Amino acid sequence: MATQPSPITVCLIAGNEAARIGRALASVAGWASEIVVVLNEDVSDGTDRIAESHGAKVYREPWKGHIAQKNSAAEKATQPWLLGLDADEEVTAELRDEIGALFGYESEDHITAYSMPRCSYYCGRWMRHGDWYPDRKVRLWRRGKGQWAGKNPHDKLVVSGSVGRLRGDLLHHSMTDLDHHVRKASQYSALFADQSNPEAPKVGVISLWFRPMWRFLRCFFIRLGFLDGWQGYLVAYMVAFETFLRYAKVRELQERESKNRISGKS
């Protein structure tokens, strides 16, 4: 482990996350040279005080969406390397030491970012198989060499240059219980439908039936989700359900718009 802080700025965005953000910040405090936290301007549960107690620089900004908010946090970094972290994540000691070792020698210039496996805790178990693992995420990058992109809320870091691979896990404390998972599935499927291309072909049998079936088979059997016990079955089932829900909501939207056009012509 490094004897002095690594030349890293840890970047987080958060809403009312007082119940979870302390764990994330404790996993990097004293190890990273700088912590930047961008909070929604309406945060009122003490998240700001928790962040400040861990030495973070706290900024309040209007909510601009996951992607713009994360880019705003990255723009405030002063260190040569950035580590993106969510409020429900935690850097393990193994990952911390592995990252710290990168700065013990001159790293190769052509490597501008690193990916790491993310391990999620779900219904009392760390998920080590199926669609949820290794769930690699590019989260460590040279300042100025990466930018958040994608479609909200599913952001993705786009980097210029080669991406190296780390082995230590980033822990993910995402779903508090099954009800939380169901609510998230409903919210994300609604966003998926809202962001769908109105000119796209009508959703049919393949998307409503075969896509969900394939996702279950891939998650539970091909990617060995069954080795994670009943939680592995639940994840595979929910992955299939989420897939069905997304395309069902797009179909519902297409039907509604079609009826509106017909009624508008009559």
Side-chain angles (χ1 to χ4, degrees):
M1 178 178 170
T3 57
Q4 60 183 10
S6 296
I8 291 173
T9 296
V10 176
C11 300
L12 291 92
I13 65 171
N16 287 315
E17 290 284 3
R20 300 193 293 183
I21 199 170
R23 177 170 48 204
L25 294 172
S27 72
V28 296
W31 162 67
S33 294
E34 181 180 51
I35 301 174
V36 170
V37 177
V38 173
L39 299 180
N40 301 351
E41 61 182 357
D42 60 348
V43 167
S44 59
D45 68 343
T47 300
D48 52 344
R49 294 189 295 273
I50 294 172
E52 289 166 353
S53 73
H54 286 87
K57 298 176 182 178
V58 178
Y59 303 85
R60 285 181 177 268
E61 296 181 359
W63 176 246
K64 302 178 287 292
H66 287 83
I67 295 168
Q69 207 83 339
K70 286 192 172 186
N71 281 325
S72 179
E75 289 166 3
K76 297 171 175 57
T78 64
Q79 295 299 304
W81 286 84
L82 283 68
L83 176 65
L85 194 63
D86 290 343
D88 60 358
E89 295 174 340
E90 177 185 4
V91 176
T92 59
E94 293 78 12
L95 179 58
R96 179 191 64 207
D97 293 348
E98 191 177 6
I99 293 174
L102 295 174
F103 308 109
Y105 56 88
E106 288 297 321
S107 58
E108 298 179 81
D109 290 340
H110 71 282
I111 297 181
T112 59
Y114 289 89
S115 70
M116 57 202 68
R118 187 170 70 164
C119 185
S120 295
Y121 190 73
Y122 185 69
C123 293
R125 184 178 187 135
W126 291 106
M127 308 306 293
R128 293 285 181 182
H129 306 88
D131 281 6
W132 282 13
Y133 192 80
D135 189 27
R136 280 197 164 267
K137 302 294 182 183
V138 179
R139 292 295 188 82
L140 180 66
W141 73 99
R142 293 181 190 269
R143 183 157 59 100
K145 295 294 185 178
Q147 188 170 25
W148 293 102
K151 287 187 177 182
N152 287 311
H154 301 292
D155 46 70
K156 179 181 180 182
L157 189 70
V158 177
V159 298
S160 57
S162 299
V163 177
R165 293 167 68 89
L166 300 174
R167 292 178 295 178
D169 283 337
L170 178 67
L171 301 183
H172 189 209
H173 304 267
S174 179
M175 311 291 183
T176 56
D177 52 33
L178 183 55
D179 284 342
H180 185 192
H181 196 172
V182 172
R183 289 195 302 271
K184 255 189 160 179
S186 180
Q187 292 167 359
Y188 284 0
S189 60
L191 284 171
F192 181 84
D194 289 341
Q195 296 172 357
S196 63
N197 182 1
E199 303 301 323
K202 181 172 286 190
V203 170
V205 172
I206 291 178
S207 294
L208 289 175
W209 292 94
F210 292 104
R211 281 182 189 268
M213 187 184 305
W214 162 245
R215 290 300 302 273
F216 178 86
L217 293 173
R218 186 184 71 176
C219 183
F220 194 63
F221 292 106
I222 298 174
R223 294 184 173 173
L224 308 181
F226 61 87
L227 294 178
D228 283 329
W230 71 270
Q231 294 96 332
Y233 173 81
L234 185 55
V235 167
Y237 185 90
M238 286 300 296
V239 164
F241 174 66
E242 290 165 8
T243 303
F244 168 77
L245 205 56
R246 289 181 179 186
Y247 289 100
K249 287 191 177 182
V250 172
R251 178 62 182 262
E252 180 185 42
L253 184 62
Q254 290 174 335
E255 294 285 352
R256 187 184 308 129
E257 291 177 345
S258 177
K259 289 180 180 178
N260 289 340
R261 285 195 297 269
I262 294 172
S263 61
K265 291 178 181 179
S266 58

